[in-house]
Amino acid sequence: MLGRINHIAIAVPDIAAASATYRDTLGAKVSAPQLLPEHGVTVVFIELPNTKVELLEPLGDASPISAFLAKNPDGGMHHICYEVDDLMAARDRLIEAGARVLGNGEPKIGAHGKPVLFLHPKDFFGTLIELEQSADVSTAV
Amino acid sequence: MLGRINHIAIAVPDIAAASATYRDTLGAKVSAPQLLPEHGVTVVFIELPNTKVELLEPLGDASPISAFLAKNPDGGMHHICYEVDDLMAARDRLIEAGARVLGNGEPKIGAHGKPVLFLHPKDFFGTLIELEQSADVSTAV
């Protein structure tokens, strides 16, 4: 079921400072910041040869990462996003196995414009897992 | 400087239970556990198409992940390992930039048999970063 890792998300309190550190100190390729008010975050992509890291900074009053940063003021690893061929089949299998899908259980359109779901970290050993519908829908039929 | 992500490490309190969840619930390819007493961990590899996740359980009395699990009893994302072409040059550049290298600053041989260093999470927005000498040493000369 789990496909490639689409991204690892890291929440940071200051995305400009974090971008500078990844670019200048770690020598990584860092994108310009994108404001995604509908997701409550500003995001920067760090492109690695095999996957990407996303830096997230809260945007607006109801950011989904505000509580995490209140607990982890320095920032920290927030979630891992895996691609799956068939998001609805994955959801049904997970619910049948007793795992909790966050929200109302219906996929939302994620920051990359594809359907996503989040799984409860308590069911996965403290890791918040995002599942994203893979681009290759041919295998999902 | 940062190359591909070699692995994302997740600390778990019960590697047998976590392995079963990743294999049976998430449908991932999970290796047999390997005991690495010299590193104070038992490790399981989850092979994804583009990188891998490592599940870590403490092994022995002086495990480097015991303190993390005391703070995060459910488990959680522990570190990200990036490959670099030239670990010593990376270290020197990081120290010059004011970043703290953990331990005595000299590389150790990591769980994959290659030289590694860890960077202080306070200098990288709460993320513990491991740097591993890439397999392709031709570019390091």
Side-chain angles (χ1 to χ4, degrees), chain A residues 50-100:
Chain A
N50 59 333
T51 186
K52 59 183 179 285
V53 167
E54 293 184 9
L55 303 180
L56 304 174
E57 181 190 76
L59 178 64
D61 294 333
S63 173
I65 60 168
S66 293
F68 178 87
L69 281 170
K71 278 188 210 161
N72 305 277
D74 290 332
M77 285 182 274
H78 185 263
H79 67 264
I80 300 182
C81 177
Y82 298 95
E83 297 178 6
V84 293
D85 284 340
D86 186 336
L87 186 63
M88 298 308 283
R91 178 196 66 171
D92 293 346
R93 172 176 167 168
L94 287 161
I95 290 172
E96 195 174 305
R100 285 165 285 182

Side-chain angles (χ1 to χ4, degrees), chain A residues 1 5 24 27 50 74 122, chain B residues 1 5 27 50 74 93 122:
Chain A
M1 190 166 80
I5 291 188
D24 302 335
N50 59 333
D74 290 332
K122 282 265 181 193
Chain B
M1 189 165 82
I5 290 187
N50 58 334
D74 290 332
R93 172 174 167 166
K122 281 265 180 193

